[in-house]
């Protein structure tokens, strides 16, 4: 049986470009575990695995970590305190398109409440993560491509 995922767990993700690390920083009742994926690839596992949590965050995403660890898609390699910066729950953005491809309004969500915008997104809001749960293949693809939220146009 796989050990229960908890806040602070450090997740090792193997990609075609090298090893990447992420940390579980929150657990939402509806979306599950929130990962902060750290920028950069490593050839070897750091001697002090806790040092990876001070790396810049490439992106944040909800991801079914418990299931992925159980299936051997990623590995839980340790636990470290969540930095002050990453302990703040991020604001997410989302929008939808109608059948004709027209975008509806933008919505911002802080984990509890949603707010509909009557305007476009600011440059800062474009950097907010996109709300949703991603799969293991999408997680790896985003890491390999250096995904940034501001480049993701719903």
């Amino acid at each position: 049986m796989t050990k229960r995922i908890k806040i602070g767990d450090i997740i090792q993700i193997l990609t075609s470009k090298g090893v990447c690390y992420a940390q579980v920083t929150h657990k939402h009742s509806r979306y599950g575990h929130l990962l902060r994926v750290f920028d950069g690839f490593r050839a070897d596992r750091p001697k002090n695995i806790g040092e990876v949590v001070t790396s810049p965050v490439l992106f944040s995403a909800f991801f079914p970590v418990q299931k992925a660890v159980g299936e051997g898609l990623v590995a839980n390699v340790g636990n470290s305190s969540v930095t002050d910066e990453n302990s703040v729950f991020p604001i997410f953005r989302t929008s939808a398109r109608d059948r004709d491809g027209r975008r509806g309004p933008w919505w911002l969500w802080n984990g509890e409440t949603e707010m509909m915008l009557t305007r476009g997104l600011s440059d800062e809001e474009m950097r907010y993560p996109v709300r949703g749960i991603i799969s293991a293949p999408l997680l790896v693809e985003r890491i390999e491509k250096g995904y940034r939220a501001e480049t993701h146009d719903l």
Side-chain angles (χ1 to χ4, degrees):
M1 184 170 175
T2 306
K3 184 173 88 171
R4 254 301 149 228
I5 296 296
K6 57 188 178 299
I7 303 302
D9 282 353
I10 299 171
I11 307 301
Q12 179 179 277
I13 305 154
L14 303 179
T15 77
S16 65
K17 293 187 172 185
V19 178
C20 184
Y21 292 93
Q23 186 177 38
V24 176
T25 61
H26 297 82
K27 185 172 183 187
H28 189 270
S29 60
R30 181 172 175 203
Y31 288 87
H33 292 105
L34 178 64
L35 280 186
R36 304 295 182 129
V37 178
F38 299 111
D39 198 6
F41 299 98
R42 299 174 186 264
D44 299 311
R45 183 174 169 178
K47 288 185 182 6
N48 176 3
I49 196 68
E51 75 185 30
V52 302
V53 303
T54 61
S55 301
V57 173
L58 181 62
F59 64 89
S60 301
F62 288 107
F63 178 71
V65 181
Q66 189 71 56
K67 183 175 183 195
V69 168
E71 293 177 358
L73 301 174
V74 298
N76 183 350
V77 295
N79 189 286
S80 182
S81 297
V82 176
T83 64
D84 289 345
E85 183 178 352
N86 291 335
S87 68
V88 176
F89 192 86
I91 297 173
F92 287 82
R93 65 185 169 100
T94 192
S95 183
R97 293 188 185 268
D98 66 18
R99 289 184 296 202
D100 297 323
R102 292 181 299 244
R103 181 191 318 281
W106 286 102
W107 291 83
L108 300 182
W109 177 70
N110 66 7
E112 295 177 14
T113 59
E114 287 181 305
M115 178 179 72
M116 185 179 81
L117 299 180
T118 56
R119 57 171 173 77
L121 294 174
S122 68
D123 289 344
E124 179 183 351
E125 291 164 340
M126 280 298 293
R127 290 189 289 276
Y128 291 172
V130 176
R131 183 171 158 186
I133 303 168
I134 64 171
S135 65
L138 184 55
L139 175 69
V140 171
E141 177 184 317
R142 285 183 174 181
I143 292 168
E144 289 175 344
K145 290 184 176 181
Y147 169 86
R148 298 268 183 205
E150 59 268 26
T151 63
H152 187 98
D153 183 32
L154 299 173

